[in-house]
Amino acid sequence: MKKQLLLGSLLAAMLVLGMTACEKDDTTDFSSYVNNQETPDEPETPDTPDNPSDNGQDTVLVAGCDTIYIEYAGTTVNVTNDTHSYVSVSGADVTVNALEADTTMLLVLSGSTDNGSLLVYRKKPFTLRLNGVSIANPDGPAINNQCGKALYIESMENTENSLTDGSTYAEAPVNADGVSIDQKGALFSEGQIFFSGTGILTVNGNAKNGIASDDYIVFESGTIKVNVDDTGSNGVKVNDGLTINGGTLTISVKADGARGIKSDAYTVIAGGTTTITTSGDCKIETVEGVRDTTSAAGIKCDSLFTMTAGTLTIKSTGDGGKGINSGQNVEFSGGTLNVTTTGSNDIGKPKGIKSDTDIIVSGGSFFVKVDKSWACDNGTDSETPTDHLTVVGSPSTKSIDKKQVNIKY
């Protein structure tokens, strides 16, 4: 099975090299794509049942690289170095149509607009370099990537960048096949997203998700802030899995039933500093006479959740709000975890960590506290707190109560 984590040290070393030409991309390493470097071996990640096996490994690009500069200037846009006429502009709405391109492509974004957007059609991986750009789209996504391959996003050093969607979305454009395209958040991608760089990226979601991918997402470095209003949805929504290797990720969601991170597959925390807050209550919907209740959660994943390093802090304040809600095991072996829920249990049960199978702690610092219900719940009917998780080895601190669990190695 192919693996997904990036090698942080290798990435940092390669990014300092100047950009010359682009040779071959395996959709796993940003630096090899934008620099004249050989593709490194793929690093390993834990096996997961939902981990994609191909990862776009069939993608081979010919020599050469198209670098296009897009500078937003209020209601207009300045485009330079578009030698193949890929770019079309209407006001400050930019469309890049590079469906037939065989060369690699780098789009450098700068400037500011409060009524613009970026829409990209492409079959091959490409790179967005954020060089002090602010895009607000009052009637849709700020950036919509219609490429099913990898999207590499680099926030440049000493820059602040922001992406904001509208409170309502206009009717979606149609693609070359006459089909309406997806619009799932302020930053949306049909393919994988890899975040890197040392700059700051702020994503503001007003109608839907903050960041969304129909594939998987890897956070490697940089400072990323995701704020979703009570009219929106999740902070980060991903179909095929999420990995955090490094950087600083801060997520705040306010809507009822919203999740800071919603992964339809696995979630891996292997480094970095992640802080998630949710303040919404339970979301209640009635469909065909059947009432359905969805509680807010810091992280909701439908498959395995693992944490091996880094710092993860989650606070949920709404009714029934949960810290981590996993469809399979929650496996914690390193790093620092701090989860608190302070919401009521009028409608939902505000558990700290909930797993449909087991919660396994074997290393690091693990702290969970709730005002109501269970701090840890692995699905057992037992009223004995120690039955609600599995502790491996001999921690230096081990305190397990119904409403608070504190374990340190």
Side-chain angles (χ1 to χ4, degrees), residues 297-309:
I299 296 176
K300 174 66 171 74
C301 64
D302 293 343
S303 184
L304 177 69
F305 173 92
T306 61
M307 182 169 178
T308 61

Side-chain angles (χ1 to χ4, degrees), residues 4 48-52 209 211-219 234-244 251 258-269 276 297-306 323-328:
Q4 292 176 1
T48 58
D50 302 284
N51 194 5
N209 304 290
I211 299 171
S213 168
D214 277 352
D215 210 298
Y216 61 85
I217 294 177
V218 177
F219 292 94
N234 308 294
V236 178
K237 171 65 173 68
V238 59
N239 285 10
D240 293 337
L242 179 139
T243 299
I244 300 174
I251 301 173
R259 285 71 183 265
I261 293 173
K262 173 64 173 72
S263 173
D264 293 345
Y266 63 88
T267 299
V268 175
I269 312 293
I276 303 172
I299 296 176
K300 174 66 171 74
C301 64
D302 293 343
S303 184
L304 177 69
F305 173 92
T306 61
I324 298 173
N325 187 355
S326 178
Q328 295 186 13

Side-chain angles (χ1 to χ4, degrees), residues 322-401:
K322 296 173 176 59
I324 298 173
N325 187 355
S326 178
Q328 295 186 13
N329 279 2
V330 172
E331 299 181 359
F332 181 84
S333 61
T336 300
L337 175 70
N338 191 317
V339 174
T340 58
T341 68
T342 61
S344 63
N345 60 351
D346 296 335
I347 298 175
K349 296 182 179 180
K351 298 171 184 178
I353 298 180
K354 178 184 178 296
S355 166
D356 290 349
T357 52
D358 201 1
I359 301 168
I360 303 169
V361 182
S362 60
S365 177
F366 181 94
F367 179 82
V368 184
K369 181 180 179 180
V370 299
D371 285 356
K372 304 287 185 179
S373 192
W374 287 88
C376 293
D377 180 12
N378 60 4
T380 180
D381 293 330
S382 173
E383 290 298 317
T384 304
T386 53
D387 291 341
H388 282 251
L389 72 163
T390 300
V391 180
V392 179
S394 302
S396 58
T397 299
K398 181 181 175 182
S399 174
I400 302 175
D401 297 313

